[in-house]
Amino acid sequence: MSDTNIYDASVDQSAKDAYFTASQSQLIWTRFKKQKAAMVGAWVLVILILSGMFAPFLTPYDPTIAGRDKDYLNGAPTIPQFCDENGCSLRPFIYTHERERSIDTNFRWVTTENKDKRRYVEFFVQGSEYQLMFMTFSTHLFGVDEGFIHLFGTDSTGKDIFSRTFHAINTSMAVGTIGVFLAFVLALIIGGISGYYGGWIDSFIQMVTDAVRTIPAIPLFMALAAFIPDTWSAEERFFFISVILGFISWPTLARRVRTHLLTERNQEYVLAAQLCGASSGHVIRKHLLPSFTSYIIVDLVISFPYMVLSETALSFIGLGLKDPVNSLGVMLQNVTSADVLLNYQWYFIPVIFFIVLVMAFVFVGDGLRDAADPYGDTKK
């Protein structure tokens, strides 16, 4: 046998040894990496999450009053360029927009481009202050030397849609995170007690679970919207919506936790822990829950897009978050009129980000679900 064959055989043996000695998380990661769609979705998700977290730095303006351009209402996107009929520049530039009344439109305000007045794009400019990681900053990634720049255009009040979109991603993700975390804690506690003890406790908890699952979300939020005082701040409304989404989303995960515990509670390692004097809480926390942690993580990832969809749908119909809070649902309220569809198509740019965000979660969730069984057949 040649040295090459001996080397290849040793490599194959090392790979087999690594496979059979790998932990469950390592096996899941190995299978997950083989799924191209899931990996692409994971990278897209990471980029969107980081973009939302660092939105105050990445965007040129505060998405509220500080980013309002009164001279450019319903303005089209301003795309930086390097060349035009007047020549080329080493620095990207945009044109100056001027508003004037036109005879052709019955003296209505009309916005025109003055191509003789260039405004150059600058990087790491000083602007409105913002809080990031408990510190105050005023540096933004880009801006212009004079006036405003609107990569995604402006809305009817002159707010920068680019800034609003990235802040909206952060808000929707924050609502989803709080809701999923609350649902996760409730599901582990309620499902764990139900599955471990069984008997009348299980029957009672399942009746409560079925009752919560039958509550219609839209009528519930209509009643809660009437209950919320008008004096509540945007932060209070934000926290309230997150908590309610968490309280109505736990039954599905609780059912899955209960099913796993009913299967595992009679296993030998559980009986051994009980004979050693371990308490019920210790057995559930240290032995039963870790036995299907990967499945719980998969359920959490899959539940994220549904939580974001719920917030978006509720805000879209006016029962969730409202201005001045920026969320994807709040921004989608602006695309319901025919006037926007015909004249202001750039209002739909946040819709694209919303679709990409949800699809990325779906691809990652599907990939994790397939990888959660590391010893399953990889050939589909």
Side-chain angles (χ1 to χ4, degrees):
M1 181 180 294
S2 64
D3 294 340
T4 303
N5 293 334
I6 295 175
Y7 175 77
D8 293 338
S10 62
V11 170
D12 293 339
Q13 185 62 37
S14 299
K16 292 179 181 179
D17 293 341
Y19 177 81
F20 288 110
T21 58
S23 63
Q24 187 180 31
S25 59
Q26 291 174 328
L27 293 172
I28 292 176
W29 174 240
T30 300
R31 292 197 65 189
F32 183 80
K33 290 190 297 183
K34 296 178 180 179
Q35 305 181 56
K36 294 181 179 180
M39 287 299 296
V40 171
W43 279 111
V44 171
L45 200 56
V46 169
I47 292 173
L48 288 177
I49 292 175
L50 292 178
S51 299
M53 292 175 57
F54 294 96
F57 167 71
L58 297 174
T59 58
Y61 312 114
D62 187 313
T64 55
I65 298 176
R68 185 172 297 170
D69 190 348
K70 296 182 292 184
D71 297 327
Y72 197 55
L73 308 181
N74 286 323
T78 53
I79 307 301
Q81 52 189 323
F82 290 90
C83 296
D84 62 1
E85 60 270 18
N86 296 323
C88 296
S89 171
L90 295 177
R91 293 191 297 166
F93 62 88
I94 60 175
Y95 296 123
T96 299
H97 292 87
E98 299 175 348
R99 298 184 73 205
E100 59 183 4
R101 295 187 182 273
S102 173
I103 300 177
D104 298 333
T105 58
N106 297 324
F107 294 97
R108 293 180 180 177
W109 286 105
V110 176
T111 301
T112 58
E113 286 185 340
N114 187 344
K115 296 186 177 182
D116 295 328
K117 293 183 179 180
R118 293 180 175 180
R119 289 182 290 146
Y120 291 95
V121 178
E122 298 178 344
F123 295 95
F124 302 103
V125 299
Q126 297 299 312
S128 58
E129 292 186 350
Y130 56 88
Q131 295 286 331
L132 193 62
M133 293 183 292
F134 305 103
M135 292 184 289
T136 302
F137 300 92
S138 60
T139 302
H140 298 260
L141 179 61
F142 67 95
V144 286
D145 54 0
E146 181 182 356
F148 295 86
I149 178 173
H150 306 290
L151 297 182
F152 292 170
T154 62
D155 58 16
S156 59
T157 61
K159 294 180 182 177
D160 181 47
I161 294 180
F162 180 84
S163 300
R164 294 194 67 192
T165 299
F166 282 86
H167 282 80
I169 293 174
N170 189 41
T171 301
S172 295
M173 288 297 300
V175 171
T177 301
I178 295 175
V180 167
F181 176 77
L182 182 59
F184 172 71
V185 173
L186 289 175
L188 289 185
I189 295 175
I190 297 174
I193 294 175
S194 178
Y196 183 79
Y197 289 102
W200 69 268
I201 297 178
D202 180 35
S203 300
F204 175 76
I205 291 178
Q206 291 313 301
M207 286 191 296
V208 175
T209 302
D210 291 336
V212 174
R213 293 185 65 183
T214 57
I215 297 176
I218 299 301
L220 172 64
F221 272 89
M222 291 178 65
L224 293 175
F227 165 77
I228 296 177
D230 295 334
T231 57
W232 276 21
S233 64
E235 291 78 11
E236 291 173 329
R237 180 181 289 269
F238 166 85
F239 184 75
F240 181 74
I241 295 296
S242 304
V243 171
I244 296 302
L245 286 175
F247 271 111
I248 65 176
S249 301
W250 61 265
T252 301
L253 182 57
R255 280 287 181 88
R256 291 171 182 163
V257 172
R258 168 184 174 269
T259 301
H260 285 294
L261 287 183
L262 287 174
T263 304
E264 296 290 328
R265 67 177 182 173
N266 294 323
Q267 297 295 324
E268 293 180 354
Y269 68 91
V270 177
L271 297 177
Q274 293 173 341
L275 291 175
C276 291
S279 63
S280 299
H282 179 85
V283 173
I284 295 175
R285 187 175 63 256
K286 295 293 185 180
H287 299 284
L288 289 174
L289 290 181
S291 66
F292 54 93
T293 303
S294 59
Y295 298 98
I296 296 177
I297 295 174
V298 172
D299 287 334
L300 286 178
V301 175
I302 293 176
S303 62
F304 249 102
Y306 294 107
M307 198 70 68
V308 174
L309 280 169
S310 299
E311 181 278 321
T312 302
L314 292 171
S315 299
F316 176 72
I317 62 178
L319 301 179
L321 303 176
K322 297 180 180 180
D323 279 325
V325 177
N326 286 288
S327 74
L328 293 174
V330 173
M331 297 195 68
L332 291 183
Q333 293 178 359
N334 300 324
V335 302
T336 56
S337 65
D339 185 42
V340 169
L341 179 62
L342 296 174
N343 301 309
Y344 312 122
Q345 291 81 11
W346 51 90
Y347 274 49
F348 287 88
I349 295 178
V351 179
I352 299 174
F353 281 83
F354 169 71
I355 294 174
V356 171
L357 178 64
V358 173
M359 292 302 297
F361 268 117
V362 170
F363 283 130
V364 172
D366 288 342
L368 284 175
R369 179 166 21 189
D370 293 338
D373 183 12
Y375 300 100
D377 184 14
T378 59
K379 297 180 181 180
K380 301 294 183 182

